[in-house]
Amino acid sequence: MNADDDRERLVSRRVLLGTIAVSSATLVLFTAGQSFSWLAPLNLFAPRVQGLGPQSLPVNKTARDAGVERTARSADWTLTVHGPDGVVEFSRTDLEGLPQTSATLPIACVEGWSTSAEWSGVRLRDLLDLVGGPTGATVRISSLQPRGPYRVTLMGPEFARDPSTLVALRVNGQSLDLDHGYPARIIAPGRPGVLQTKWLTSIEVMPA
Ligand SMILES: Nc1nc2c(c(=O)[nH]1)N[C@H]1C(S)=C(S)[C@@H](COP(=O)(O)O)O[C@H]1N2
Ligand SMILES: [Mo]
């Protein structure tokens, strides 16, 4: 082994160490978002945590991923409510004009997070009453989302008639963000997050 070999080895060792130093700096930078909020956009490798979405609430599926960006923003949007007495279409302004109720309720996602917020909007049972929905009825709630397993949910009367179950228009005092279900979403107490349907389009009273 001569001096040249030694120098070569030293150089490649330095290069190697340099690379390690750079990668760990990168790792620190990309996870520091967990500790320093101004680095949060770089928090690529961390588990999904609370507080990263709009309105300081997590988002499981964005409006863009759900394919509802255009339909949810449309000026023609209505919520159609079907019942034994007929079909009523409510614009967002119509819904805002009905009596508003607030409820502090969590969204509990199976992905392992749960966040509480103050939701407000129209009681689901008030809407069902307007179309003659019987108190024992199950309702089918549908999203604008064109496909996907969480597009439609059935809700039994124990939830549909609960005074805290809302067609929510606002969260923590602000109009719902598009990613949280604007123009309207369901919030019901004691149901898993997957059933808290976002971007509502229709609510149907099921035949008994
Ligand atoms: N239309 C629709 N609603 C949905 C979902 C969805 O993918 N599509 N995801 C559900 C799941 S799994 C959860 S945990 C909550 C999350 O609500 P958030 O994104 O406002 O926090 O929305 C629920 N509502
Ligand atoms: Mo979820």
Side-chain angles (χ1 to χ4, degrees):
M1 186 178 296
N2 60 31
D4 272 357
D5 276 351
D6 271 356
R7 201 172 310 121
E8 246 166 56
R9 222 178 263 167
L10 208 68
V11 168
S12 52
R13 197 173 140 75
R14 246 183 233 142
V15 170
L16 186 67
L17 284 174
T19 313
I20 290 168
V22 169
S23 336
S24 34
T26 314
L27 263 184
V28 167
L29 197 63
F30 283 165
T31 52
Q34 286 169 90
S35 322
F36 305 104
S37 58
W38 56 275
L39 287 174
L42 293 173
N43 190 3
L44 302 183
F45 303 125
R48 292 209 248 169
V49 292
Q50 292 185 15
L52 294 181
Q55 300 176 318
S56 302
L57 296 169
V59 168
N60 85 306
K61 193 173 205 77
T62 63
R64 173 181 223 169
D65 287 348
V68 300
E69 268 184 315
R70 189 185 51 79
T71 50
R73 281 206 189 98
S74 167
D76 297 334
W77 177 86
T78 55
L79 174 64
T80 311
V81 184
H82 305 248
D85 290 356
V87 178
V88 185
E89 292 199 4
F90 299 89
S91 68
R92 167 102 189 182
T93 313
D94 293 335
L95 292 171
E96 284 165 359
L98 293 172
Q100 304 290 299
T101 299
S102 295
T104 301
L105 293 173
I107 290 192
C109 181
V110 290
E111 285 179 24
W113 52 264
S114 172
T115 316
S116 199
E118 196 209 35
W119 306 90
S120 63
V122 182
R123 280 188 172 133
L124 176 59
R125 70 177 190 192
D126 290 354
L127 295 177
L128 300 179
D129 286 345
L130 288 171
V131 295
T135 50
T138 291
V139 295
R140 178 162 62 196
I141 296 163
S142 304
S143 170
L144 288 171
Q145 197 179 333
R147 63 192 82 80
Y150 311 146
R151 208 173 66 77
V152 177
T153 179
L154 288 180
M155 186 187 277
E158 70 280 26
F159 295 109
R161 287 280 152 189
D162 189 298
S164 312
T165 296
L166 304 179
V167 167
L169 308 175
R170 305 173 68 78
V171 63
N172 293 336
Q174 294 177 333
S175 181
L176 282 181
D177 187 275
L178 199 59
D179 285 341
H180 291 307
Y182 176 89
R185 80 173 301 162
I186 281 290
I187 287 290
R191 292 192 108 201
V194 287
L195 304 180
Q196 311 279 27
T197 312
K198 306 198 274 190
W199 314 294
L200 297 182
T201 187
S202 69
I203 296 172
E204 299 156 84
V205 174
M206 305 299 285

